[in-house]
Amino acid sequence: MKALLSLIILFFFSVSVLAQDLDIYAKKKNSNYELPFLNPQTSFEEFQILNRTLRMQDMVYAAIVPGYIHFKVKDPTLGYALLGARTSGYLGLYYVLTDNSYSLVELINNNPPNSANSADFNTQKNITYTALGLIIGSYLFDWIHGRHRLEKKQELIRYKYGMKLSLGFKPTQGFKQQAIPTIGLRYSF
Amino acid sequence: MRKLFFLFVIFAFNILGISQTLNTEYHYLALIKNQPKPVVKDNLRNAEMVADSLWLLPVENPHLAALYFMELGNNYAKIKQHEMAIFSFFRQRFFFPFDSISIYVENQIREQSLFLNLDKQQVDILLQKSNTEVVQENKYNALDPLLCWIIKFENKRIENHILHHLELMQQKNITPSKTLLKWQDLTKIGIKTRKKRAYLSADFNQLTYKQQSNYIKHLTKFFIRHKSWSRAKESLNQLNKIKPGKKYPALGLKTRICLKF
């Protein structure tokens, strides 16, 4: 009984690991050979957007590459803006660290040393806060807004081609239907 | 076992009959024109593909094609691309003229022309030229006069579409008129929209020195962009011929040609 309980618990945890989907997700080796059913009007960019999903690993990539999510969802203008924002954040931190007048902990905690010039300390503190705000803010914006953009773009594409497919079956309203009879076979198991 | 096998075959094979027609595209345009702008905008690339095929290929139902261009114009009007809305309405009038649709479209054209600050007289002339009694029956021949009129609007945002339609004409082995070919050259080398009028209305020799040198500089830049260094050098030499004796004309361009960048 104990062994069974342990097995169930183990199984439960293994499922939650898969759900986390950090890098361990089931992918058939030959799934890249599966050819999708596409509307003839679909552009390559639309196809790419439909194919893309955001996973936990993208969250890690976005922490390393500024604007990664926006580049992935084909929104390069905002991606470059985020790249600029994050770079200026890093430059601000670089300035504070190379100046070496105060430690980062002192600046973040707003705890100036006794010998500190208060005006200079405040300036460096403001730079630190702004830099950290830019770095963290650009990362969160990249992730949250990027996800929103991807979902919106995918919805638009799915709506467009889904609706056209449905309208293809719609009975004609006074017009001569120029239907091209085609038959498709889908084999699945 | 046999029954199971048949059941498997029935469930495994899904028979799908799809008929994507002009009718579908027309209904989709009519459906989305009252929906949010991103939905309308997202479909325009597809809609233009259908519009191209309506001109390029024979159409079985011209009435539906006319309605399609009308709805396409309405879609452009919805997202405030007024110049493209007018172009679509005129495409209907020139390619698939139908009295009832053309009258509706005429009102729409007058409304859209207000947003573009178009001259009323110019719009009136164009409407007269595209009347159902006047317009040519053959849609292939109708594109040339339509484009000739549209370039007179001097709108930058429509230039790429005109260039695209000129390519379609060449694809169909139709030679565009001289004005259109000249306009195509001027656009490709990057002459500003407002300045094209002067180049189109006169021969090169009749232009002022400033206009001539401007043309040659743009032409040289065009060759530089395409890394055609010898042609760029040739065109730049023409500057000396226009006004010989002028020291260091277009020194920057000369340097770019010498350094090949």
Side-chain angles (χ1 to χ4, degrees):
Chain A
M1 190 61 199
K2 242 182 194 177
L4 191 70
L5 197 69
S6 312
L7 259 173
I8 290 166
I9 290 168
L10 199 69
F11 178 71
F12 175 77
F13 276 114
S14 70
V15 169
S16 54
V17 166
L18 280 174
Q20 274 294 305
D21 209 8
L22 187 65
D23 209 359
I24 319 153
Y25 54 93
K27 194 169 172 26
K28 286 175 200 162
K29 207 177 177 186
N30 287 334
S31 58
N32 286 339
Y33 293 100
E34 284 169 12
L35 298 176
F37 170 75
L38 288 176
N39 186 301
Q41 289 180 348
T42 315
S43 69
F44 182 60
E45 195 178 310
E46 286 176 335
F47 174 68
Q48 280 181 313
I49 288 167
L50 279 181
N51 259 344
R52 286 174 187 188
T53 46
L54 289 179
R55 296 179 173 280
M56 290 282 278
Q57 59 184 13
D58 293 313
M59 218 167 168
V60 182
Y61 293 158
I64 301 161
V65 185
Y68 172 80
I69 307 292
H70 280 84
F71 287 119
K72 190 171 176 176
V73 302
K74 303 266 172 194
D75 207 344
T77 322
L78 218 49
Y80 283 116
L82 289 170
L83 178 71
R86 184 93 70 89
T87 311
S88 48
Y90 285 138
L91 286 174
L93 269 191
Y94 175 76
Y95 166 73
V96 169
L97 290 172
T98 49
D99 192 55
N100 217 9
S101 309
Y102 315 99
S103 72
L104 204 60
V105 181
E106 285 169 346
L107 289 165
I108 292 169
N109 291 337
N110 195 12
N111 187 18
N114 294 334
S115 57
N117 174 355
S118 71
D120 181 49
F121 181 82
N122 280 338
T123 315
Q124 295 228 12
K125 185 186 76 183
N126 289 340
I127 293 172
T128 312
Y129 283 163
T130 316
L132 287 175
L134 278 171
I135 292 166
I136 298 166
S138 65
Y139 171 66
L140 290 176
F141 181 83
D142 190 23
W143 177 253
I144 297 164
H145 185 260
R147 193 178 189 90
H148 168 72
R149 288 287 297 157
L150 181 67
E151 280 169 3
K152 222 173 169 184
K153 281 187 176 188
Q154 287 180 339
E155 278 165 8
L156 279 173
I157 298 167
R158 276 201 294 267
Y159 175 80
K160 180 169 67 179
Y161 294 121
M163 187 59 82
K164 280 183 184 180
L165 190 67
S166 308
L167 286 171
F169 295 111
K170 196 183 168 191
T172 51
Q173 291 173 345
F175 301 117
K176 190 185 160 194
Q177 178 88 328
Q178 299 150 24
I180 305 157
T182 50
I183 292 175
L185 297 176
R186 190 188 292 165
Y187 176 69
S188 55
F189 58 92
Chain B
M1 187 63 199
R2 200 177 264 182
K3 275 180 188 172
L4 195 72
F5 176 71
F6 279 118
L7 262 174
F8 172 73
V9 170
I10 288 164
F11 282 110
F13 288 86
N14 299 317
I15 298 166
L16 199 65
I18 301 155
S19 60
Q20 194 167 342
T21 58
L22 176 61
N23 194 32
T24 310
E25 295 292 337
Y26 164 70
H27 278 112
Y28 186 69
L29 280 181
L31 180 82
I32 60 168
K33 76 176 172 194
N34 296 323
Q35 291 196 41
K37 285 175 189 172
V39 181
V40 178
K41 216 172 182 178
D42 188 54
N43 184 49
L44 291 175
R45 186 189 62 85
N46 307 65
E48 279 301 325
M49 278 164 67
V50 178
D52 288 349
S53 69
L54 287 179
W55 183 78
L56 276 170
L57 306 170
V59 175
E60 277 184 36
N61 192 343
H63 184 237
L64 185 57
L67 284 170
Y68 178 83
F69 276 115
M70 183 191 82
E71 282 304 341
L72 183 59
N74 287 336
N75 272 249
Y76 276 118
K78 161 96 183 180
I79 58 159
K80 294 188 167 54
Q81 285 193 23
H82 307 294
E83 64 292 326
M84 280 308 292
I86 285 192
F87 184 48
S88 299
F89 291 136
F90 274 120
R91 275 188 283 182
Q92 182 273 311
R93 285 174 72 93
F94 274 91
F95 301 160
F96 305 103
F98 281 94
D99 274 338
S100 56
I101 303 168
S102 294
I103 288 166
Y104 168 77
V105 156
E106 188 179 323
N107 296 330
Q108 296 289 87
I109 289 170
R110 286 190 193 284
E111 195 184 320
Q112 295 302 315
S113 64
L114 293 175
F115 294 105
L116 293 173
N117 286 322
L118 290 179
D119 185 32
K120 189 182 173 293
Q121 233 175 355
Q122 194 183 0
V123 175
D124 282 341
I125 292 169
L126 192 46
L127 284 170
Q128 277 173 18
K129 294 278 176 193
S130 59
N131 258 342
T132 37
E133 308 90 49
V134 185
V135 82
Q136 296 183 34
E137 289 268 319
N138 188 345
K139 64 178 175 179
Y140 302 115
N141 297 336
L143 185 55
D144 194 281
L146 169 63
L147 293 182
C148 279
W149 282 105
I150 291 293
I151 60 172
K152 284 179 186 164
F153 289 167
E154 294 178 349
N155 194 306
K156 197 177 184 314
R157 292 204 291 179
I158 207 171
E159 282 184 347
N160 281 337
H161 289 274
I162 299 175
L163 281 175
H164 173 69
H165 278 83
L166 283 168
E167 278 168 20
L168 288 182
M169 280 174 87
Q170 281 150 4
Q171 209 174 307
K172 204 77 188 161
N173 278 335
I174 299 170
T175 317
S177 61
K178 277 184 183 174
T179 321
L180 279 178
L181 287 172
K182 209 171 172 183
W183 182 90
Q184 190 182 24
D185 289 344
L186 292 170
T187 312
K188 277 187 177 173
I189 65 170
I191 300 276
K192 281 184 183 170
T193 314
R194 296 273 171 195
K195 289 182 179 173
K196 277 179 206 160
R197 195 190 306 167
Y199 291 100
L200 287 171
S201 57
D203 283 337
F204 188 74
N205 296 331
Q206 293 167 329
L207 297 169
T208 61
Y209 169 72
K210 202 178 171 186
Q211 286 168 334
Q212 284 180 340
S213 67
N214 186 38
Y215 176 82
I216 290 168
K217 280 175 191 169
H218 273 94
L219 191 63
T220 314
K221 277 180 197 166
F222 175 78
F223 287 133
I224 289 173
R225 272 203 302 277
H226 290 83
K227 301 193 188 311
S228 175
W229 308 111
S230 57
R231 295 286 298 275
K233 209 174 178 181
E234 272 174 35
S235 73
L236 202 61
N237 284 340
Q238 284 183 4
L239 260 186
N240 289 329
K241 287 177 192 168
I242 298 167
K243 204 170 187 179
K246 194 179 180 189
K247 274 186 182 176
Y248 314 121
L251 194 65
L253 290 176
K254 239 178 208 174
T255 320
R256 280 183 72 181
I257 294 167
C258 289
L259 297 173
K260 293 190 176 177
F261 82 96

